Amino acid sequence: MLFKTRSAAVYGIDAHLIDVEVDYLGVPLEREVFAVVGLPDAAVRESRDRVKAAIKNSGFEIPSTKITINLAPADLKKEGSGFDLPIAIGILGAYGALAAMEMQDVVLVGELGLDGTLRAVQGMLPVAMAARAAGVKHLVIPESNAREAAVVEGIHIWPVRSLLEVRELLNSFAQGGQASLLQPLQVDSRAMLAHAEEGVPDFKDVRGQHVAKRALEVAAAGGHNILMIGPPGSGKTMLAKRLPSILAPLRFEEALETTKIHSVAGVLNRDKGLVTHRPFRSPHHTISDAGLIGGGMNPRPGEVSLAHNGVLFLDELPEFPRNVLEVMRQPLEDGNVTIARAAMSMTFPARFMLAAAMNPCPCGYYPDKERCMCTPPMIQRYVSKVSGPLLDRIDIHIEVPAVQYKELRSGQVGEGSAEIRDRVLRAREKQHERFGLAQRGANPKARKVFANAQMSTSDIRQHCELNSEAERILERAMLQRGLSARAHDRILKVARTIADMEGQESIAVPHIAEAIQYRTLDRGYWS
């Protein structure tokens, strides 16, 4: 007898529905033959032993015969342990242990324990979104995956704990839903986002560093990358960790997109089920290029993708291997990462703010001649670990000096994140109006420009016009410092952001002058 169920496979950060066809030979055999076809990986092939034990320990007896499971379409590779549940249900249905019913409206995903209990799998949010897009009514999944999938509206999410509960639920579907005590899970994901800001580090804890705080505010307002240079203990890491607190709250669409990436990578907090804060990722400098960008035999998202819609903080920037830093060029420019393999090519989103920090020299105390003992060649070798093309892609370079004792011991509380974020949001609102963000939702093919930092060359020409005096200041800076064309565009983007923060339509002299001051490394910092 042939019995069909439906499941899903995750590729990249998207899922595709898979038909699971189970057929058995009616002639008893001395030894059971269990074949899985349709490009299964090792985890799917091993499911036969888990499935047989789970069925037996759930109280069902399957006679020894030949069982063939086909995962269609057969030309897509099937990975992971999530096919355990649909295969087990297909076997029970083929042997008549389920009430006859149409399974096209049900998708089943889950790993089985040997005792028949269900365990969580990765990538459940993309599965729920794919099932909804295909018009499926019911998604039956492990209880620990339920909150993650329930943020998707328009589909019934059924959390189950064992194979027996799934059988009971499916039999109730065949009877019109009258026999089951289970209820679909519902969560108010928008309410979760509304309370997302609790417990975030606040800028009011920072003593002094008014220039650095201003630079971070500008960076947040325009989505600009920023590099902080200063001695150990000056507060670079403390400042960077508070950067997400002044960014705009996640929109629901952004939260879903971010959660998909975290779900596929297996780092999602399943108790919440939704990423409600803008991510802040801070990988150690020993990370590999595959760990930062993503990769592996079956490509998985890296740190740049896990920081999507948030902040990627690279502390001790020169300590990262140069080849690791160089692979960030593409995501910094394009906002995505494409990983190509012989059998497949996957693209992961990677639109993030880069916040980096570094010491000015190996000992960290340059230019304090009393404390710094580094020679010019030592400093040059240290600084040259970060390439010029990478520095060109960082809009703001700011010096973070050591905090003075009086500022450190001052009882005066600094400006908090709430006040700074209000100004950031006002500047972002002007950018949304400029780039037509409100109208873009109806046009999915529209170019995605959300902030000044993402402006193209044509956008810069259109929105960053200078008067004659500002033009002379920029020209003088370009000639004296030998700035590149990319640095020229970065200065104009930052100046446009500063003007937005001031509520000005045109870029004035103070705006362009401040933007030039944020190019510390172009001013011959080590000369």
Side-chain angles (χ1 to χ4, degrees), residues 211-479:
V211 175
K213 289 174 70 174
R214 166 70 177 180
L216 286 168
E217 180 180 342
V218 173
H224 302 288
N225 302 321
I226 185 169
L227 171 62
M228 294 175 284
I229 309 157
S234 58
K236 302 185 295 295
T237 302
M238 185 179 189
L239 287 163
K241 287 183 176 180
R242 282 151 179 77
L243 184 54
S245 69
I246 61 175
L247 297 176
L250 276 173
R251 301 192 306 275
F252 181 66
E253 295 76 13
E254 289 180 317
L256 278 181
E257 189 176 31
T258 306
T259 304
K260 281 177 65 176
I261 300 171
H262 286 235
S263 174
V264 169
V267 298
L268 180 66
N269 183 344
R270 293 195 177 101
D271 292 335
K272 292 185 176 180
L274 184 71
V275 176
T276 56
H277 297 85
R278 291 198 177 272
F280 180 86
R281 304 293 299 185
S282 180
H284 193 261
H285 61 256
T286 56
I287 192 171
S288 66
D289 52 357
L292 186 65
I293 296 299
M297 184 176 296
N298 300 316
R300 288 289 183 265
E303 289 292 331
V304 297
S305 295
L306 293 173
H308 181 63
N309 290 323
V311 176
L312 177 67
F313 177 51
L314 301 183
D315 201 3
E316 305 295 345
L317 187 66
E319 300 299 333
F320 283 80
R322 182 156 182 162
N323 68 298
V324 173
L325 295 179
E326 293 306 299
V327 296
M328 284 203 305
R329 292 191 193 180
Q330 182 206 354
L332 285 174
E333 289 288 338
D334 302 335
N336 58 62
V337 172
T338 300
I339 301 173
R341 294 290 182 268
M344 68 183 74
S345 178
M346 294 184 181
T347 298
F348 298 110
R351 189 176 60 249
F352 58 90
M353 274 186 64
L354 174 64
M358 62 180 287
N359 295 331
C361 66
C363 74
Y365 295 106
Y366 180 87
D368 186 344
K369 295 182 179 180
E370 294 183 359
R371 304 181 68 183
C372 179
M373 303 301 293
C374 300
T375 62
M378 291 171 60
I379 296 175
Q380 182 59 36
R381 283 195 299 271
Y382 179 76
V383 174
S384 64
K385 293 179 180 179
V386 184
S387 70
L390 180 61
L391 290 176
D392 264 354
R393 287 170 169 82
I394 300 177
D395 303 356
I396 297 174
H397 313 152
I398 190 69
E399 185 179 0
V400 183
V403 182
Q404 299 299 317
Y405 177 79
K406 289 183 178 180
E407 290 181 320
L408 193 60
R409 295 297 299 165
S410 173
Q412 184 178 1
V413 178
E415 190 176 28
S417 295
E419 295 84 356
I420 299 174
R421 186 169 60 179
D422 286 342
R423 296 195 295 269
V424 169
L425 292 180
R426 286 196 294 270
R428 281 295 180 107
E429 188 61 33
K430 291 184 69 67
Q431 295 165 55
H432 293 170
E433 294 172 2
R434 178 180 301 123
F435 303 124
L437 183 61
Q439 291 79 24
R440 191 180 298 126
N443 183 11
K445 295 183 179 180
R447 189 167 57 89
K448 293 184 178 181
V449 179
F450 300 95
N452 289 333
Q454 299 163 356
M455 286 193 293
S456 66
T457 303
S458 59
D459 293 326
I460 293 173
R461 284 197 298 266
Q462 180 180 355
H463 302 298
C464 299
E465 294 184 0
L466 303 179
N467 58 34
S468 58
E469 189 175 355
E471 192 78 53
R472 283 195 300 272
I473 292 176
L474 180 57
E475 181 182 9
R476 190 182 308 123
M478 292 286 295
L479 293 175

Side-chain angles (χ1 to χ4, degrees), residues 498-514:
I498 297 170
D500 289 342
M501 294 171 64
E502 300 294 334
Q504 302 295 321
E505 293 298 328
S506 59
I507 298 175
V509 170
H511 308 143
I512 199 75
E514 183 178 353

